[in-house]
Amino acid sequence: MKSNISRLPSIRITPTVRLRIDSTSPPPSPPKSPTNKKVSNSRRDSIYDYKSEAAKKVELIAKNRDERRQRQADEKAQKDLIMHLEQNNPYWEFSQMIRDFRNGIDFRPLREHDPVVENQITVCVRKRPLNDKEDRRKEVDVITVNTKNQLIVHEPKHKVDLTKYLENQNFRFDYVFDDSCSNDIVYKFTAKPLVKTIFEGGMATCFAYGQTGSGKTHTMGGEFRGKQQNFRNGIYGLVAVDVFKLLNHQKYAQKNYMVSASFFEIYGKLVFDLLAKKQRLRVLEDGKQQVQVVGLTEKIVSKVEDVIDLIQKGSMERTSGQTSANSNSSRSHAVFQIILRKSGSKHVDGKFSLIDLAGNERGADTNKSNRQTRIEGADINKSLLALKECIRALGRKGAHLPFRGSKLTQVLRDSFIGEKSRTCMIALISPGNFSVDHSLNTLRYADRVKELIATDSPEDDAADVAMYGEEDISEDINEGDEEMLQDEERRLHISSMEWEVLESNRHVIESCVYFHKMACDLYKASQKNGFDKNHYATNWKNLLNEMIDIQKEALLKANEFCNVLDGRV
């Protein structure tokens, strides 16, 4: 046994192969693998550098979100700064877009020295400045007048994602007056060329059309200074000045002309004399099929001051009311006429009709109005449509004139007849963004009038039928439009009858006072000795018959009015 052990080889243990375990010493580094690839010097700082692709995407989304929020915060801060600089204007974005648009166009507006072009029918547009009410509401001027006969409407719009943008719409007319043009400049290009027409045996018509508050009365009647109106610098007064200048001209002085004037208003289907305390007038046709305004006051004038006095007197009597657009809106058509006749003759040699039309309203804007305002608005719009049709027919030589479409066109029938008839339309628009829908309606109305002067296509007539549904344009009206028109006719008829009943009531009251006085006088006379019995009996009988006739007439009107209200007529 011992001998076997001794034959085993001896094992030598050296200290270099001993493992020394020390908790404080770092573990030995692994041996480097034999490779030729270059090893990156960068080192990972933490175990979080080992991320999955999903985690990296989540981190990228969070980073983009933070950047977007920061960008939105910067944009909001910039908007707040602009809002502060724009004095808290809520429409500053639209204002900025309009300014940028205007910086890129060339302005060539109408000026006083520009030549006047005379047409049989002239259609022009006047833009007024922003008023105090619009300034307080921080409204934006959305009308750009770039040339003397063109303008652009910047209609504010919103996309589905609420992005704001402008829809720019271009219009072209004979003349376009910007907000810097005075009444004198407007008069030079509109009514002034028409004055000589009435001295040459023609009929001239000038009317102002537009939304309530757009400046019609300011243009026709004169500029306002507070609550006072300067009637001398309105188209009414300026026409009167030129009429008397031509009257004294050597060319017309030998014709011995006499000048007279009348002033009346058309309210619904009723006509009132503004120079006779609003006495009601009747519009009838005589045996020669000429339209006559029965009972109209016609004053002879010899100087401009006489005309100004009549204008001032009639303007005070004109009917006005409150609408959604204007607290003191003209609800009637005011017609001021200057008439030329030779001395001692009843024949009219020339007539100039100056019309301040009632303010037009959209049907959507009258939904919250009272019943009377809705009736007024319906009749105003119907008469304006009939007026447009007459002007269109005047432009189409020899076409039928649908003057029976409204009381306004019926009264102005002689102004549309004859080769020497000339017409001027002044469409007035408000520049604020709150009124952009009204302004577009006014411009489209004026554009249709001018557009259809030279062309007469069936497509245009069909477009008007689709737009308005007026019975004078076409007989093919759908049942809904026909019912609406009939309903408007009934309302206006009731309004007219109501006025007649009230007038008969007033007449009965006045006649009762007169009857009482005369009956007392007759009775006192019968108590005296030797009174004339025949004289007494005859006067008493006549007085009773007169009173009975007045009351019978009032009774008939009251019965008819009750039947209409009950729906039996």
Side-chain angles (χ1 to χ4, degrees):
M1 188 70 176
K2 184 177 178 180
S3 59
N4 292 336
I5 295 173
S6 61
R7 289 195 294 269
L8 294 173
S10 60
I11 299 173
R12 186 180 179 181
I13 301 174
T14 61
T16 58
V17 298
R18 290 181 182 178
L19 296 176
R20 182 179 178 183
I21 301 174
D22 191 351
S23 60
T24 60
S25 62
S29 60
K32 297 180 180 180
S33 60
T35 178
N36 295 328
K37 295 182 179 179
K38 295 182 179 180
V39 180
S40 176
N41 293 329
S42 61
R43 301 185 57 170
R44 295 181 175 90
D45 297 329
S46 68
I47 61 173
Y48 295 104
D49 290 334
Y50 301 96
K51 296 179 181 179
S52 65
E53 292 297 325
K56 290 180 179 179
K57 290 181 178 179
V58 171
E59 187 179 58
L60 181 61
I61 291 172
K63 181 181 178 181
N64 292 337
R65 182 182 66 245
D66 294 339
E67 291 177 354
R68 185 174 66 254
R69 288 177 176 174
Q70 183 61 39
R71 186 168 59 253
Q72 291 174 347
D74 294 340
E75 291 176 356
K76 185 178 184 302
Q78 185 179 5
K79 288 182 179 180
D80 292 341
L81 178 60
I82 296 176
M83 283 280 288
H84 179 70
L85 296 176
E86 294 284 342
Q87 298 180 354
N88 295 323
N89 186 355
Y91 312 107
W92 68 269
E93 292 173 290
F94 290 126
S95 179
Q96 183 65 40
M97 286 187 280
I98 293 173
R99 279 199 298 266
D100 294 341
F101 181 90
R102 289 172 177 169
N103 290 334
I105 62 176
D106 183 23
F107 285 89
R108 299 187 304 275
L110 182 70
R111 289 297 175 254
E112 189 174 1
H113 60 270
D114 290 336
V116 178
V117 180
E118 297 185 7
N119 301 313
Q120 183 187 16
I121 298 178
T122 302
V123 179
C124 55
V125 174
R126 185 183 190 184
K127 166 195 170 185
R128 67 162 174 79
L130 289 168
N131 56 32
D132 295 337
K133 183 179 179 180
E134 291 166 337
D135 285 334
R136 288 194 298 269
R137 293 189 302 204
K138 307 294 183 181
E139 289 193 42
V140 179
D141 184 353
V142 296
I143 307 294
T144 298
V145 179
N146 52 331
T147 67
K148 63 181 181 180
N149 58 0
Q150 294 183 26
L151 61 87
I152 304 169
V153 180
H154 311 285
E155 185 178 6
K157 293 278 190 176
H158 293 83
K159 295 182 180 178
V160 178
D161 59 354
L162 300 182
T163 303
K164 299 177 180 178
Y165 71 99
L166 295 175
E167 183 175 335
N168 299 315
Q169 304 186 41
N170 295 272
F171 294 89
R172 183 186 183 95
F173 302 96
D174 291 314
Y175 303 106
V176 178
F177 306 100
D178 60 16
D179 50 3
S180 65
C181 292
S182 63
N183 276 357
D184 292 328
I185 297 178
V186 174
Y187 170 71
K188 176 184 176 182
F189 292 92
T190 57
K192 186 179 180 67
L194 274 63
V195 174
K196 65 180 181 180
T197 301
I198 65 175
F199 283 87
E200 297 171 354
M203 301 291 179
T205 306
C206 178
F207 64 93
Y209 167 83
Q211 172 201 0
T212 58
S214 58
K216 297 184 301 298
T217 304
H218 172 95
T219 301
M220 300 300 290
E223 298 177 356
F224 283 90
R225 296 175 181 174
K227 293 185 178 180
Q228 299 297 322
Q229 190 173 11
N230 182 13
F231 294 100
R232 288 184 173 274
N233 68 352
I235 291 182
Y236 291 157
L238 294 173
V239 167
V241 172
D242 280 350
V243 165
F244 282 101
K245 281 184 180 179
L246 287 179
L247 191 67
N248 298 323
H249 194 273
Q250 60 180 1
K251 183 178 180 181
Y252 305 108
Q254 298 178 354
K255 294 187 177 182
N256 197 20
Y257 280 129
M258 179 184 65
V259 183
S260 60
S262 61
F263 204 1
F264 61 93
E265 72 169 355
I266 302 172
Y267 177 73
K269 289 188 175 183
L270 308 177
V271 181
F272 300 97
D273 192 343
L274 295 178
L275 300 180
K277 297 182 179 180
K278 298 190 71 171
Q279 181 180 354
R280 187 180 174 185
L281 306 172
R282 291 187 298 168
V283 180
L284 304 174
E285 287 189 27
D286 58 17
K288 299 179 181 180
Q289 292 186 344
Q290 297 294 322
V291 178
Q292 303 291 341
V293 183
V294 181
L296 177 63
T297 301
E298 192 173 313
K299 297 281 189 179
I300 297 176
V301 289
S302 57
K303 55 182 182 298
V304 177
E305 286 71 18
D306 295 341
V307 179
I308 299 300
D309 291 340
L310 294 180
I311 295 171
Q312 186 172 6
K313 180 180 178 182
S315 299
M316 297 296 292
E317 298 288 342
R318 190 176 176 189
T319 302
S320 63
Q322 184 174 0
T323 67
S324 59
N326 191 0
S327 60
N328 190 25
S329 172
S330 300
R331 308 308 293 158
S332 65
H333 307 304
V335 183
F336 182 76
Q337 292 182 329
I338 296 178
I339 304 157
L340 284 184
R341 289 188 180 91
K342 291 182 180 179
S343 296
S345 174
K346 294 184 179 180
H347 175 71
V348 176
D349 289 279
K351 182 190 295 184
F352 203 138
S353 298
L354 299 159
I355 307 145
D356 182 6
L357 295 172
N360 65 307
E361 298 288 344
R362 297 187 309 163
D365 296 328
T366 59
N367 288 337
K368 297 181 180 179
S369 303
N370 57 35
R371 176 177 172 272
Q372 184 64 26
T373 304
R374 291 197 301 270
I375 293 174
E376 292 172 352
D379 190 70
I380 289 169
N381 291 339
K382 185 178 179 181
S383 62
L384 294 176
L385 176 63
L387 178 63
K388 179 180 74 69
E389 289 306 305
C390 283
I391 298 174
R392 287 177 55 191
L394 181 63
R396 301 193 300 264
K397 303 288 186 180
H400 168 67
L401 286 172
F403 64 90
R404 287 190 176 90
S406 72
K407 191 68 70 175
L408 174 65
T409 52
Q410 187 178 0
V411 169
L412 298 176
R413 179 189 177 184
D414 56 353
S415 299
F416 298 121
I417 297 175
E419 292 293 330
K420 296 183 180 180
S421 297
R422 296 182 61 190
T423 302
C424 177
M425 170 183 174
I426 307 173
L428 294 111
I429 55 176
S430 303
N433 56 291
F434 279 23
S435 304
V436 66
D437 291 334
H438 294 284
S439 299
L440 285 172
N441 286 341
T442 300
L443 292 171
R444 287 167 184 152
Y445 178 97
D447 186 61
R448 294 293 291 167
V449 170
K450 187 61 178 178
E451 174 192 358
L452 291 171
I453 291 172
T455 61
D456 183 16
S457 62
E459 291 79 5
D460 293 332
D461 292 337
D464 268 359
V465 173
M467 184 182 298
Y468 298 103
E470 174 63 33
E471 57 187 357
D472 289 334
I473 305 173
S474 173
E475 296 179 357
D476 299 329
I477 303 176
N478 58 48
E479 295 181 358
D481 290 337
E482 185 66 33
E483 291 177 359
M484 181 183 67
L485 291 173
Q486 290 177 357
D487 188 48
E488 291 176 3
E489 289 284 347
R490 183 176 181 275
R491 291 175 180 175
L492 292 171
H493 180 58
I494 291 175
S495 178
S496 176
M497 291 190 62
E498 180 181 357
W499 184 89
E500 291 180 354
V501 170
L502 292 175
E503 283 295 301
S504 65
N505 189 355
R506 182 180 61 82
H507 190 199
V508 168
I509 294 173
E510 292 175 354
S511 62
C512 286
V513 174
Y514 172 77
F515 176 82
H516 182 267
K517 179 179 181 301
M518 295 300 297
C520 291
D521 292 342
L522 284 174
Y523 182 77
K524 289 180 182 178
S526 66
Q527 300 302 309
K528 297 180 180 178
N529 295 327
F531 76 98
D532 190 345
K533 297 180 180 178
N534 290 332
H535 182 267
Y536 165 78
T538 302
N539 288 340
W540 179 237
K541 182 185 70 172
N542 293 336
L543 184 63
L544 289 172
N545 286 331
E546 183 181 356
M547 189 63 191
I548 290 172
D549 291 340
I550 294 173
Q551 293 184 350
K552 278 184 177 180
E553 184 180 358
L555 180 60
L556 290 174
K557 291 182 178 179
N559 286 332
E560 186 180 359
F561 188 49
C562 290
N563 292 334
V564 170
L565 293 178
D566 294 338
R568 287 176 284 180
V569 177

